[in-house]
Amino acid sequence: MIIYKDIVTGEELASDSYPMKVVDDIVYEFQAKTITIDDSGIQIASNADEEGADEGVNDEVLRVINIVHSHRLQQTSYDKKSFMPYIKNFMKKVKTHLEATNPSRVDAFMKNAQAFVSQKLLPKIGSDDITFYTTENMDPGGSMAYSFYPEGAVDPVFWIFIDGVKSEKF
């Protein structure tokens, strides 16, 4: 399994256990699912109601998004005014990281990240179309996961900047 960790905090954001693809050579897009867990945090069958198997099942169940639950992501919020300083600072950190670790990637990152932010992220901010998630310790300077529901979808997808995470194989 590959775990994707924030380059700033070292905390988990996602893993390759979810269907994923690369979008615009700048973000990973992870397909999440809404799951049902019991009060001990263990995933239980999500179709129990359909099968009539709810007898004797603990009433303390929660519906959660698998990526959020598994990686202990914390929801936060931004408007456009507060997001811009965050993203500028984050992009600066990623650029510095790339200059030290992968200088040939700097130009592509800066070009693609700016286009992605202006064309895909900013239009969603300020509406109910996007949800922001930080890592478990809620470090405001670290990477974030951006979640939204594509048109007609019942489960969300998550965008995470490729260059904002490092992968660790377990």
Side-chain angles (χ1 to χ4, degrees):
M1 174 189 301
I2 297 174
I3 302 289
Y4 295 95
K5 294 185 173 185
D6 178 12
I7 62 165
V8 177
T9 67
E11 293 184 87
E12 293 181 17
L13 280 161
S15 75
D16 69 345
S17 62
Y18 313 103
M20 63 182 280
K21 64 182 180 180
V22 173
V23 175
D24 298 339
D25 191 34
I26 195 65
V27 297
Y28 292 122
E29 181 177 286
F30 294 90
Q31 179 61 60
K33 288 208 178 292
T34 303
I35 60 172
T36 304
I37 59 169
D38 66 15
D39 59 352
S40 68
I42 297 173
Q43 183 176 348
I44 57 177
S46 59
N47 62 349
D49 290 338
E50 294 171 14
E51 296 174 1
D54 57 352
E55 292 179 29
V57 174
N58 187 340
D59 288 337
E60 299 295 321
V61 296
L62 296 171
R63 292 186 52 77
V64 296
I65 299 170
N66 58 356
I67 293 174
V68 173
H69 177 71
S70 296
H71 300 284
R72 298 173 299 283
L73 301 181
Q74 304 296 315
Q75 187 173 335
T76 189
S77 63
Y78 282 94
D79 59 17
K80 285 184 183 178
K81 185 177 178 182
S82 61
F83 181 72
M84 290 309 295
Y86 160 77
I87 198 65
K88 286 179 182 178
N89 184 42
F90 176 70
M91 288 174 62
K92 189 179 201 179
K93 288 178 184 179
V94 173
K95 180 181 178 191
T96 300
H97 173 76
L98 287 173
E99 287 170 341
T101 61
N102 189 3
S104 63
R105 175 73 180 152
V106 173
D107 290 338
F109 167 75
M110 294 305 292
K111 177 184 167 207
N112 294 341
Q114 289 171 358
F116 190 83
V117 168
S118 65
Q119 295 168 15
K120 297 205 175 169
L121 283 179
L122 286 179
K124 293 181 181 301
I125 297 174
S127 68
D128 291 334
D129 291 345
I130 193 163
T131 305
F132 300 90
Y133 290 93
T134 65
T135 57
E136 182 176 20
N137 289 320
M138 298 188 77
D139 186 320
S143 293
M144 230 182 292
Y146 308 94
S147 172
F148 70 98
Y149 289 79
E151 191 172 327
V154 294
D155 291 314
V157 297
F158 282 73
W159 284 333
I160 298 172
F161 281 98
I162 293 169
D163 300 297
V165 293
K166 59 185 174 187
S167 59
E168 285 189 18
K169 191 169 185 170
F170 285 88

